[in-house]
Structure formats: structure tokens, C-alpha cells
Amino acid sequence: MTTIEGNLQQVRERLARACEAAGRDVNAVTLLAVSKTFEPEHVAAAVAAGQRAFGENYIQEGVEKVLALQALLPGQALEWHCIGPVQSNKTRLVATHFDWVHSVDRLKIAQRLSEQRPEDRAPLQVCLQVNVDGGANKSGVAPDELSVLAHAVAALPRLRLRGLMAIPEPSEDLAVQRAAFRRVWELQQSLIDQGLELDVLSMGMSDDLEAAVAEGATLVRVGRAIFGHRPRKEPVTVSAAGSA
């Protein structure tokens, strides 16, 4: 058994225990393997262990990896999620190469993704990133601005608004972790009450996935617990004509 295979098994067991403790079906929570800064060969090892959904924070590196995996594993159906900040000059790359984007927090970005999503691809699945803590230096839409943005994004063509994503401030206190995730759940419920059809809560990582599952996460983003500590290197760059 490879290290990645063993790590994946351990994370899946953690998820199963968390779901049992919360009285939830384990199949209701998707495991997203965050592969940023790791080589395509690491992703291929995770695929061999049964993982199919992968998250990338750095857009250009992610595109390079998507293309590399298509060459390494031709015909293998993988699901690619952009979970990092999206700048205006990178929206075409996201719209062209990714299946999901979790980090939309501005209408301008959503509009560009909508305009640039190829017509021969399924609608881009979108989560809105919410700054649930109110940190001045954190990405994400403010909770009191979320409703307006959500309704505007839901109306755009070539996109499908699925739910919310959040990255609360780290804490070792389980009660603090759960309170932050509960706030995200409450925000989503408010949007559902307003008539939006949302089914995804992207929250929880290696250190707090149990708290996230307890508060309704439907997708957890796990990197270090699967791939190990990240190598220190610059993100891969890829030249792409017309990437704006």
C-alpha cells in the first residue's frame, strides 16, 4: 500500500466516523483531495486508490495538472475543482478547464466565468465563498452582501449555483470550529428559504473536518492528511493565449 493510498484510507475512515457521530450517511459527504503543489504522479497515485475529485488553489498550476492527467490517464473521468482566489485575468482558464469553482465572491468574476464557459461543456458548478469571520484580509463576500450576490449569480447562464464555501479562522477548540461552520449552514438555509436551490456546503479541512461534518458539510477539502506536507516551490506556470 502506498503512503497516499494509506492516507486516503485513514481520511475516509475519519469521515465515516464523523458521519456516524452526526447521524449522517457517509455518502452525503464528498471528499475533495487538495493536490496543490504536488506533482501529477501524486494525483495519479490517489486516482489508483479510488479518488476522483481534486482541488487546486493555483489556477495555472491546476490547468497544467489537468492536462498532465489527461495524458497520464487517458479516458479517466476526473473532477477538477478550483478552490483558490480567481482574478479577472484567470477566469477563462477556470471556465475552460475546471468543473467546479468554490471561490466566487464578486459578481464581476461570475459574469466573466459565465461569458467564457465553453458551450460544449456542462455548466460550471459554483459555490460562493463567504467571509464568515469578517476578517479584513480574507477573501469572501460579507454575510450581509451574500443574498444579493447569490441571486445575481443564480441568474447567470452557463453557471449553476450550488452552495457556499468558507474557510473559518483556525482553532483547536471544537466548539469554536462548530460555531463558525454552523453560521455558514445558517446562511445557506436563509438562501434556500429565499427560493434558491442549493445543496453544497464546502467546508472543513484536514484539522477540522469532524466539526464541519457535524454542522452539515457536504464536501470537505483535504490536502495535507492525504498528500503530506506540501513541498516548498513556486506554483507551476502555463502560458495560455487569450487567458483574460
Side-chain angles (χ1 to χ4, degrees), residues 218-234:
T218 65
L219 183 150
V220 294
R221 310 178 306 273
V222 178
R224 188 184 69 254
I226 294 172
F227 294 105
H229 289 282
R230 295 186 177 92
R232 293 183 178 274
K233 67 174 186 177
E234 293 299 319

Side-chain angles (χ1 to χ4, degrees), residues 3-208:
T3 299
I4 289 175
E5 182 182 6
N7 289 347
L8 267 169
Q9 180 174 318
Q10 291 179 11
V11 171
R12 289 168 181 153
E13 290 172 354
R14 283 179 63 189
L15 269 179
R17 291 194 298 269
C19 288
E20 182 178 7
R24 300 181 60 195
D25 182 348
V26 69
N27 294 316
V29 184
T30 296
L31 173 61
L32 184 67
V34 179
S35 46
K36 69 176 183 181
T37 75
F38 286 93
E39 300 295 336
E41 290 75 15
H42 294 92
V43 176
V47 173
Q51 182 65 26
R52 295 294 180 270
F54 295 91
E56 290 287 328
N57 291 65
Y58 306 123
I59 293 168
Q60 291 181 314
E61 178 195 351
V63 170
E64 187 87 357
K65 213 168 292 180
V66 169
L67 299 176
L69 266 295
Q70 289 174 354
L72 277 174
L73 303 172
Q76 180 68 66
L78 302 180
E79 189 175 85
W80 292 95
H81 297 235
C82 173
I83 61 175
V86 181
Q87 298 174 329
S88 294
N89 65 345
K90 297 296 192 297
T91 53
R92 188 176 298 277
L93 288 173
V94 175
T96 301
H97 295 282
F98 286 86
D99 304 294
W100 285 71
V101 57
H102 294 223
S103 46
V104 172
D105 60 3
R106 289 176 290 158
L107 181 57
K108 175 185 176 182
I109 295 299
Q111 290 169 331
R112 289 176 65 88
L113 292 169
S114 173
E115 293 165 359
Q116 295 167 346
R117 182 67 168 176
E119 292 188 1
D120 62 348
R121 295 208 59 182
L124 183 63
Q125 309 297 295
V126 174
C127 290
L128 301 181
Q129 182 173 355
V130 58
N131 184 354
V132 70
D133 299 311
N137 297 320
K138 290 179 63 176
S139 298
V141 60
D144 60 359
E145 299 173 359
L146 176 61
S147 177
V148 172
L149 178 62
H151 284 276
V153 172
L156 293 172
R158 309 299 305 149
L159 304 182
R160 182 184 173 195
L161 181 61
R162 297 293 299 272
L164 303 182
M165 184 270 264
I167 309 174
E169 287 294 325
S171 173
E172 295 182 358
D173 187 326
L174 180 63
V176 172
Q177 293 174 0
R178 290 192 59 166
F181 292 134
R182 187 178 309 118
R183 175 60 174 147
V184 184
W185 180 86
E186 290 170 349
L187 289 169
Q188 174 138 307
Q189 290 303 305
S190 175
L191 295 176
I192 292 172
D193 291 343
Q194 295 171 35
L196 294 177
E197 296 183 4
L198 307 178
D199 61 353
V200 173
L201 276 177
S202 170
M203 58 189 194
M205 298 186 286
S206 293
D207 294 332
D208 57 11

